[in-house]
Amino acid sequence: MPRVLLLATTTGYQTRAFDDAAERLGVELVRATDRCHVLDDPWRDQAVPVRFYDDIESANEILEFSRKTPLSGVLAVGDRPTVVAARVLEGLGLPGHPPAAAAAARNKLASRERLRDGGLAVPYFTPVHVAEDARALSPSVPFPCVVKPLALSGSRGVMRADNTEELVAAFDRLRLLLLAPDIRAERREADDLVLVEGFIAGHEFAVEGVMNHGVLHALAIFDKPDPLDGPFFEETIYITPPEIAPDVQGAIVDAVRRAALALGLHHGPIHAECRVNPSTSSGRGPSTSSGQGAVLVLEVAARPIGGLCASALRFAKAGDGSRDGSPLISLEELLLRHALGESSEGWERERAASGVMMIPIPRRGIFRRASGLEEARRVAGVEDVRITAKPDQVLVPLPEGASYLGFIFARADDPGTVERALRLAHGRLNFMIDPELPVVQSRHG
Ligand code: ADP
Ligand code: CA
């Protein structure tokens, strides 16, 4: 039985789909998880506990483990273990993303430098220590700008500033955020640096893909129909396929391919985000082939789309005339097959339009419960509503937070119907969120 190692921060719902896929394929799945999270790990007896922040030591421990428990493939879920996965693949002599490329993909400054050096369009960017005086910096900053920590993800800490006051406020906020214990625990120097970059106007798209020995196979382009103009950049709806002209789709994939190669990504999953110049994305503007820089790549991550969102994607055998009738596989199954050496080219996304809404946290507070789930699930096209927030959990919205209330999934014949279904279902949900009580000191301690 082939054995695949899955590197994931936690082993909760995010990796269950991998269990199902592994079972279907007859693959044994072993996990490596972060020691810091091992307490809530129901599989802790089977998982290899490592420290994701220590890439080299973690990779060595896994390689040591693999001597007795041979591995045929390695996959990373989430941003943090991508470099460890790359090192393990290299150590095993298996194809993967080179560790330096995975590391560059995780670091927003290194990414910008590599994209610039690779001849891709990049905004103005400059690294600044978070302790620096933002007011003094301001005259050299082209507004509007975006500030972001170098090594967080999920739009955490990403803020737009239109003027000096907003820049100063954003830096104040980032200083506090970067002191958060969970970020400190990572012990990365990158966390004290902030990237200040030019705001890129335009409509945003995401590309899910797999690199096959240096060749990008775009599995899906997702439209992000909600405007992402700041001041914070909460992801909400992802819809595929996007309703844009084929030449714009081609330009998006081409830009992502060039960006992935500029980063040095070679073999394995990628997830990219880009912005398309407003005149181009409407389909009314100049053709992208002549409009240089019409697609601007924000980032390319050396991992698949996050967690539950993957279930918006299903695949059929490519070129199968009867693909509506043939069995569909999950992204997790496709990735396991790929990790075991199968090319992704044999698969293409199902015909149906599909979408997911990451349910945003409306305000800070204590989550009690959600209602309206049944009503939301009854919306035509809605396939599932999953509330992932836990009762009594403290909800923290962006830019400090790092979670969602849950997810809504929909499928239909066309993307417009999917989007309407997601919004309608969201409108039927109610979230009871209590204000956090001020801390009352007991006299008895
Ligand atoms: P993360 O790794 O946290 O996802 P990103 O750099 O991808 O960080 O930024 C998150 C979101 O913030 C992007 O998806 C985009 O909507 C917005 N954003 C980031 N940088 C810019 C920029 N330079 N111009 C406009 N929007 C940006
Ligand atoms: Ca991103």
Side-chain angles (χ1 to χ4, degrees):
M1 199 188 244
R3 189 180 293 117
V4 173
L5 179 82
L6 186 66
L7 289 127
T9 309
T10 57
T11 49
Y13 57 78
Q14 299 196 322
T15 62
R16 300 255 158 80
F18 276 102
D19 289 314
D20 297 342
E23 196 168 319
R24 269 174 55 106
L25 288 174
V27 170
E28 184 188 336
L29 212 56
V30 288
R31 291 175 166 72
T33 48
D34 202 27
R35 249 174 228 170
C36 311
H37 294 269
V38 107
L39 281 182
D40 51 23
D41 172 12
W43 288 277
R44 62 181 165 278
D45 298 336
Q46 294 159 25
V48 192
V50 293
R51 291 189 176 90
F52 285 163
Y53 65 78
D54 190 342
D55 302 329
I56 296 176
E57 199 206 276
S58 296
N60 286 341
E61 281 177 37
I62 293 167
L63 288 169
E64 181 63 41
F65 166 86
S66 77
R67 273 187 264 282
K68 279 179 233 117
T69 322
L71 301 172
S72 314
V74 178
L75 275 172
V77 181
D79 268 309
R80 294 175 55 240
T82 52
V83 183
V84 179
R87 284 190 179 281
V88 173
L89 283 167
E90 187 184 59
L92 293 172
L94 292 171
H97 296 311
R106 267 212 77 194
N107 181 297
K108 296 190 199 308
L109 174 61
S111 283
R112 282 278 172 265
E113 289 168 344
R114 287 205 178 197
L115 296 189
R116 178 198 59 201
D117 296 347
L120 279 101
V122 290
Y124 160 92
F125 66 94
T126 188
V128 181
H129 196 278
V130 72
E132 242 182 77
D133 179 1
R135 197 172 296 278
L137 183 79
S138 180
S140 63
V141 173
F143 290 108
C145 73
V146 172
V147 299
K148 46 171 101 170
L150 288 198
L152 295 187
S153 56
S155 301
R156 215 174 162 201
V158 182
M159 288 176 264
R160 170 175 168 161
D162 286 354
N163 52 50
T164 304
E165 295 315 313
E166 288 178 13
L167 187 69
V168 169
F171 264 72
D172 287 345
R173 218 161 161 168
L174 273 175
R175 259 173 231 129
L176 285 177
L177 171 63
L178 295 182
L179 287 175
D182 65 317
I183 294 173
R184 282 291 129 205
E186 295 268 316
R187 298 161 216 222
R188 283 186 313 233
E189 289 189 6
D191 284 330
D192 292 327
L193 285 181
V194 169
L195 196 63
V196 178
E197 61 178 36
F199 177 82
I200 305 156
H203 196 98
E204 194 161 320
F205 297 89
V207 174
E208 185 69 16
V210 171
M211 304 285 294
N212 293 290
H213 303 284
V215 180
L216 173 67
H217 174 203
L219 298 170
I221 303 176
F222 285 101
D223 184 4
K224 304 190 185 181
D226 281 336
L228 288 159
D229 291 327
F232 315 130
F233 299 90
E234 186 153 55
E235 302 203 274
T236 52
I237 297 181
Y238 267 52
I239 309 263
T240 190
E243 292 181 292
I244 48 174
D247 69 326
V248 181
Q249 299 196 26
I252 289 173
V253 172
D254 191 54
V256 169
R257 181 181 56 77
R258 290 175 54 218
L261 294 177
L263 288 167
L265 297 172
H266 180 71
H267 191 78
I270 64 139
H271 181 83
E273 279 141 5
C274 63
R275 289 200 162 206
V276 178
N277 184 290
S279 61
T280 319
S281 62
S282 65
R284 281 175 270 113
S287 157
T288 49
S289 41
S290 57
Q292 244 262 309
V295 180
L296 222 137
V297 177
L298 285 170
E299 61 173 1
V300 186
R303 52 145 179 95
I305 189 169
L308 280 184
C309 290
S311 48
L313 294 175
R314 289 190 310 211
F315 301 89
K317 275 253 152 61
D320 184 344
S322 65
R323 73 172 160 148
D324 286 333
S326 61
L328 297 169
I329 66 164
S330 62
L331 178 65
E332 289 83 0
E333 179 170 337
L334 186 149
L335 294 179
L336 279 178
R337 288 169 175 270
H338 188 262
L340 290 169
E342 183 181 318
S343 168
S344 67
E345 294 286 349
W347 300 92
E348 62 189 354
R349 208 186 63 76
E350 66 181 322
R351 209 184 295 264
S354 174
V356 53
M357 178 186 229
M358 292 155 250
I359 307 171
I361 291 174
R363 61 182 178 279
R364 197 184 165 97
I366 300 172
F367 176 65
R368 299 302 181 195
R369 64 181 162 272
S371 58
L373 268 79
E374 285 318 306
E375 292 83 347
R377 289 193 180 110
R378 273 203 295 274
V379 173
V382 167
E383 295 196 333
D384 201 6
V385 180
R386 301 273 298 272
I387 303 302
T388 46
K390 302 270 176 295
D392 306 328
Q393 176 186 333
V394 178
L395 298 175
V396 184
L398 279 178
E400 285 82 13
S403 65
Y404 305 104
L405 285 169
F407 301 82
I408 307 171
F409 299 93
R411 278 190 173 81
D413 289 340
D414 66 284
T417 307
V418 171
E419 186 179 337
R420 281 189 298 277
L422 292 173
R423 294 193 194 282
L424 190 58
H426 182 237
R428 291 186 180 182
L429 293 173
N430 270 302
F431 297 97
M432 195 178 152
I433 301 170
D434 284 342
E436 279 175 289
L437 291 175
V439 181
V440 180
Q441 295 263 315
S442 157
R443 260 191 295 167
H444 305 288

